[in-house]
């Protein structure tokens, strides 16, 4: 009897144990299912990295994982299969539920045509092409984390809202199919910390005619990845294209997962790719190579505008323009811009005009690189805006070695030294001719004014932005406007006036004090002084009208007046 009792109790206890296990398994199974469902159904998944204040790097600070075939996928639901068991980080496993993540595509930036103007929109708002390149790449030396961060910090301090940052193929895929996302994470972390947007420069299989930014496993396997000549890969090689597209796709997926505010705005595909011979000896193959890389970005979950920058030459200009047109016609490339290193405004104007007409009429004209050290920097920027073009600057400060000292700041290995206009600097790579350097404080003031009306400049209808020289006049439509400055010494004695799509006239100057005069018209009310923040105009002061049509202005402030106030 006792034996039977013990047997029945054992069965009872075993049954209870089984029920407990089943309940626990069921609950955890439901939770896991809920988690997967949430991850797959959300159009904006939670970031795996928290970008809050200085706490910008989580425990997975160096994301290194292996991936299966990651060639570009054109579907909107951009499902990526990742080998979870092999996906390693330095601090443990990087786990994706069921080995895949649903990433519904978000078009962060795209080219639009509104009010007679082609420009970029970011999340539905106008985006101005105006940023500075931060060159901490291993061009001369490898930066420390502190040095890297300082470049973002300084860019923000001098009122830039966008930085351009190079990410090399070899840094994110040091071994085949083994990806290191730390350089990308560092870029995002610093951008969030200093409230900046980012144009990523993808330095892959052709950078200034060189293949050295490709991973070692690519460069050292000439059987699998043959060279066409001593400098260039054979860009008809499907395996080469597949490997580079896989790396770029992995980067874009990581950005999607870790950029919840969508700060990445543009991806440049390689750099000055017309510097070498690919377009001469394998043009069709190379165009296809560029197109596949561009499509990888545009079909990625975080779709952004793509561009190609062109090195400029004094000969074969017609060939360069024809080639730029061929590139612009690619489905994977949105815009094309020249790198211009000169001081003469006419030189810039001619290039910008050519990059917006003929075969390039559908382009958004912009200067993809321009030196930052020259004394007429403000005039160069405003001249570009007056030609309905964007303007990106090379560079904030030279890193690792003086090299070509094109920085807004003077070159110094350790310190950040503002330029004061008292030194002579080279303005081209050949280091033949010297010109006066900029005044960094003037650029800081210029950037502040531009940042206050950046969206209005970006969407300003063609022909409505005017850079007006001292004591001269220009027309915006039928309205004649005269600018006068009392400044006598600066190289930038100009004013900027434009009629935006919102119906307001905006005015500012980088040159001391002066006034804008609306000739043959009467202004019925004072001008508002202020800036835009969060899409709203923040008025800080008013400027009275003198003599019925004149508004006195000071450097560092933006003035606006409604067109209906002009009679």
């Amino acid at each position: 009897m006792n034996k039977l009792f013990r047997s029945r109790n054992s069965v009872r206890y075993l049954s209870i144990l089984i029920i407990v296990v089943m309940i626990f398994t069921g609950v955890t199974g439901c939770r896991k299912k809920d988690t997967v469902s949430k991850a797959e159904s959300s159009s904006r998944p939670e970031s795996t990295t928290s970008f809050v204040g200085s706490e910008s790097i989580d425990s997975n600070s160096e994301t290194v994982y292996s991936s299966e075939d990651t060639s570009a996928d054109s579907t909107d639901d951009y499902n990526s299969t990742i080998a979870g068991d092999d996906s390693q980080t330095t601090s443990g496993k990087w786990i994706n539920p069921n080995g895949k993540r649903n990433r519904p595509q978000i078009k962060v930036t795209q080219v639009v045509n509104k009010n007679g103007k082609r420009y970029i929109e970011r999340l539905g708002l106008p985006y101005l092409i105006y940023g500075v390149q931060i060159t901490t790449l291993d061009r001369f030396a490898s930066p420390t984390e502190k040095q890297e961060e300082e470049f973002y910090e300084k860019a923000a301090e001098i009122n830039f809202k966008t930085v351009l940052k190079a990410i090399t193929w070899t840094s994110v895929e040091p071994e085949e199919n083994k990806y290191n996302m730390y350089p990308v994470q560092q870029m995002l972390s610093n951008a969030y910390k200093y409230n900046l947007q980012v144009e990523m420069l993808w330095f892959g299989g052709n950078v200034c005619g060189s293949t050295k930014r490709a991973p070692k496993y690519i460069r050292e396997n000439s059987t699998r990845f043959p060279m066409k000549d001593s400098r260039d890969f054979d860009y008809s090689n499907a395996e080469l294209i597949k490997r580079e597209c896989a790396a770029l796709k992995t980067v874009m997926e990581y950005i999607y997962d870790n950029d919840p505010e969508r700060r990445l705005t543009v991806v440049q595909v390689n750099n000055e790719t017309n510097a070498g011979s690919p377009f001469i000896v394998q043009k069709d193959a190379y165009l296809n190579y560029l197109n596949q890389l561009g499509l990888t970005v545009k079909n990625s979950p975080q779709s952004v505008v793509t561009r190609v920058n062109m090195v400029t030459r004094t000969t074969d200009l017609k060939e360069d323009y024809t080639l730029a047109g061929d590139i612009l016609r690619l489905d994977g490339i949105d815009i094309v811009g020249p790198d211009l290193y000169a001081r003469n405004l006419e030189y810039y104007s001619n290039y910008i005009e050519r990059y917006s007409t003929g075969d390039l009429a559908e382009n958004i004209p912009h200067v993809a690189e321009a030196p930052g050290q020259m004394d007429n920097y403000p005039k160069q920027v405003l001249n570009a805006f007056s030609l309905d073009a964007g303007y990106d600057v090379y560079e904030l400060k030279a890193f690792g070695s003086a090299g070509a000292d094109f920085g807004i700041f003077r070159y110094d290995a350790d310190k950040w030294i503002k330029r004061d206009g008292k030194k002579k600097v080279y303005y081209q790579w050949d280091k033949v001719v010297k010109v006066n350097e900029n005044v960094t404080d003037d650029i800081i003031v210029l950037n502040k004014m531009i940042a206050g009306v950046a969206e209005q400049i970006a969407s300003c209808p063609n022909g409505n932005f005017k850079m007006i020289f001292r004591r001269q006049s220009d027309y915006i439509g039928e309205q004649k406007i005269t600018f006068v400055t009392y400044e006598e010494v600066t190289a930038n004695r100009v004013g900027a006036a434009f009629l935006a799509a919102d119906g307001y006239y905006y005015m500012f100057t980088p040159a001391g004090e002066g006034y804008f005069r609306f000739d043959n018209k009467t202004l019925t009310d004072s001008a508002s002084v202020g800036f835009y923040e969060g899409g709203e105009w923040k008025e800080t002061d008013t400027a009275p009208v003198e003599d019925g049509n004149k508004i006195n202005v000071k450097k560092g402030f933006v003035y606006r007046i409604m067109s209906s106030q002009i009679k």
Side-chain angles (χ1 to χ4, degrees):
M1 185 61 134
N2 288 337
K3 183 176 180 180
L4 178 60
F5 179 79
R6 285 196 301 269
S7 176
R8 288 177 175 174
N9 277 342
S10 298
V11 171
R12 184 181 301 145
Y13 295 147
L14 180 59
S15 299
I16 293 172
L17 179 60
I18 291 172
I19 291 171
V20 170
V21 171
M22 289 177 65
I23 292 173
F24 179 79
T25 304
V27 170
T28 55
C30 288
R31 287 178 177 170
K32 183 175 182 181
K33 184 177 180 181
D34 290 345
T35 303
V36 174
S37 176
K38 182 178 180 180
E40 292 184 343
S41 64
S42 173
S43 63
R44 294 185 66 141
E46 286 190 8
S47 170
T48 57
T49 305
S50 174
F51 297 108
V52 180
S54 61
E55 300 301 318
S56 57
I57 299 179
D58 67 2
S59 59
N60 294 335
S61 62
E62 288 197 31
T63 307
V64 183
Y65 60 96
S66 68
S67 173
E68 299 302 326
D69 182 6
T70 54
S71 55
D73 186 349
S74 61
T75 59
D76 287 338
D77 287 337
Y78 194 87
N79 297 316
S80 172
T81 300
I82 296 179
D85 291 340
D86 296 328
S87 300
Q88 298 283 332
T89 69
T90 55
S91 58
K93 296 284 186 181
W94 187 78
I95 300 173
N96 234 336
N98 295 331
K100 65 171 61 177
R101 173 174 294 179
N102 189 320
R103 298 178 172 93
Q105 188 183 68
I106 298 173
K107 288 189 176 181
V108 179
T109 56
Q110 58 187 322
V111 175
V112 300
N113 192 341
K114 297 180 180 179
N115 300 313
K117 175 72 173 285
R118 292 178 68 84
Y119 60 92
I120 296 174
E121 275 191 351
R122 172 183 174 269
L123 300 176
L125 297 175
Y127 170 78
L128 180 65
I129 301 175
Y130 180 57
V132 63
Q133 191 168 153
I134 48 176
T135 313
T136 59
L137 194 59
D138 57 341
R139 185 168 151 228
F140 303 107
S142 296
T144 64
E145 284 190 7
K146 182 177 182 296
Q147 288 173 323
E148 179 85 12
E149 183 179 329
E150 281 180 350
F151 276 76
Y152 293 84
E153 180 182 11
K154 292 300 179 182
E157 281 184 7
I158 65 173
N159 296 320
F160 276 102
K161 297 302 179 185
T162 299
V163 293
L164 287 72
K165 174 62 180 171
I167 296 293
T168 66
W169 181 7
T170 187
S171 70
V172 298
E173 192 189 14
E175 300 177 48
E176 184 170 6
N177 240 16
K178 300 291 183 180
Y179 294 103
N180 169 31
M181 290 295 106
Y182 182 65
V184 185
Q185 184 195 54
Q186 192 178 30
M187 175 184 75
L188 292 176
S189 175
N190 286 321
Y192 272 74
K193 183 172 181 178
Y194 295 103
N195 194 26
L196 294 164
Q197 294 169 339
V198 181
E199 295 180 16
M200 185 178 77
L201 314 179
W202 173 253
F203 279 21
N206 187 333
V207 177
C208 303
S210 169
T211 61
K212 66 180 181 179
R213 302 302 182 189
K216 199 173 182 179
Y217 82 86
I218 298 282
R219 290 182 283 109
E220 295 186 352
N221 191 338
S222 59
T223 300
R224 188 177 167 198
F225 305 103
M227 301 290 288
K228 192 72 172 179
D229 52 38
S230 61
R231 290 188 62 180
D232 301 312
F233 290 124
D234 179 354
Y235 292 103
S236 66
N237 181 6
E239 184 70 7
L240 173 71
I241 296 174
K242 179 180 178 181
R243 290 312 316 153
E244 186 168 349
C245 287
L248 182 53
K249 179 186 177 208
T250 302
V251 168
M252 294 304 295
E253 288 176 339
Y254 181 85
I255 291 172
Y256 179 92
D257 293 342
N258 293 278
D259 181 17
E261 294 180 13
R262 310 306 172 198
R263 291 177 179 265
L264 180 73
T265 57
V266 174
V267 172
Q268 178 181 292
V269 179
N270 280 304
N271 188 69
E272 293 186 344
T273 57
N274 63 323
S277 62
F279 285 119
I280 299 173
V281 299
Q282 47 178 330
K283 180 178 178 180
D284 290 343
Y286 193 72
L287 285 172
N288 177 64
Y289 160 76
L290 285 180
N291 193 43
Q292 294 306 315
L293 290 172
L295 288 174
T296 298
V297 174
K298 298 188 71 60
N299 291 331
S300 75
Q302 182 147 328
S303 178
V304 298
V305 166
T306 56
R307 79 169 184 190
V308 168
N309 65 324
M310 306 279 287
V311 64
T312 52
R313 298 172 285 191
T314 56
T315 59
D316 298 325
L317 296 182
K318 184 177 180 181
E319 181 182 332
D320 280 349
Y321 297 141
T322 300
L323 179 57
D326 291 337
I327 294 172
L328 188 64
R329 280 188 288 272
L330 298 175
D331 292 336
I333 303 299
D334 292 308
I335 59 176
V336 184
D339 294 350
L340 301 177
Y341 288 83
R343 188 177 184 277
N344 185 282
L345 286 183
E346 185 178 359
Y347 176 84
Y348 280 77
S349 298
N350 288 340
Y351 261 101
I352 291 171
E353 181 180 1
R354 189 61 187 83
Y355 270 75
S356 59
T357 57
D359 290 344
L360 295 164
E362 299 299 307
N363 191 29
I364 296 180
H366 64 284
V367 179
E369 285 184 18
Q373 83 283 29
M374 294 187 299
D375 62 338
N376 68 342
Y377 176 109
K379 192 185 293 182
Q380 296 279 21
V381 174
L382 296 179
N383 180 60
F385 293 167
S386 72
L387 296 169
D388 307 307
Y391 195 92
D392 280 334
V393 184
Y394 183 93
E395 56 192 327
L396 188 63
K397 185 181 82 165
F399 178 80
S401 169
D405 188 12
F406 291 162
I408 292 174
F409 290 88
R410 284 181 186 161
Y411 170 73
D412 186 275
D414 303 307
K415 294 179 289 186
W416 289 83
I417 301 173
K418 291 180 179 178
R419 297 187 187 272
D420 58 11
K422 296 180 180 179
K423 286 190 175 183
K424 296 282 187 178
V425 291
Y426 294 111
Y427 72 88
Q428 289 182 322
W429 292 95
D430 56 16
K431 298 184 179 180
V432 174
V433 181
K434 283 190 173 183
V435 296
N436 292 328
E437 68 176 352
N438 71 46
V439 177
T440 305
D441 283 337
D442 286 347
I443 297 175
I444 294 173
V445 173
L446 174 72
N447 289 351
K448 174 189 172 185
M449 295 184 291
I450 292 173
V453 285
E455 292 179 6
Q456 287 65 36
I457 296 174
S459 59
C460 179
N462 286 342
N464 276 14
F465 190 108
K466 301 294 182 180
M467 180 179 73
I468 308 174
F469 288 88
R470 180 192 185 213
R471 302 187 188 281
Q472 294 188 23
S473 304
D474 208 334
Y475 284 86
I476 299 178
E478 297 180 355
Q479 177 60 59
K480 182 181 179 183
I481 301 177
T482 298
F483 172 70
V484 173
T485 177
Y486 308 122
E487 182 66 55
E488 295 292 338
V489 296
T490 180
N492 300 286
R493 290 176 293 180
V494 294
F498 66 99
L499 175 58
D502 60 11
Y504 283 96
Y505 283 90
Y506 296 87
M507 298 153 283
F508 60 90
T509 177
E513 297 183 2
Y515 63 82
F516 287 90
R517 187 177 66 234
F518 287 72
D519 297 319
N520 304 318
K521 296 288 183 177
T522 299
L523 305 181
T524 61
D525 199 356
S526 59
S528 176
V529 184
F531 58 93
Y532 281 94
E533 184 177 80
E536 295 185 5
W537 177 256
K538 305 289 186 181
E539 184 173 274
T540 59
D541 203 351
T542 58
V545 175
E546 293 188 2
D547 302 326
N549 64 352
K550 187 171 71 176
I551 299 173
N552 290 312
V553 297
K554 293 182 180 180
K555 178 173 71 174
F557 299 93
V558 177
Y559 302 76
R560 82 169 190 178
I561 188 165
M562 189 65 184
S563 55
S564 60
Q565 296 173 226
I566 304 171
K567 304 295 184 181

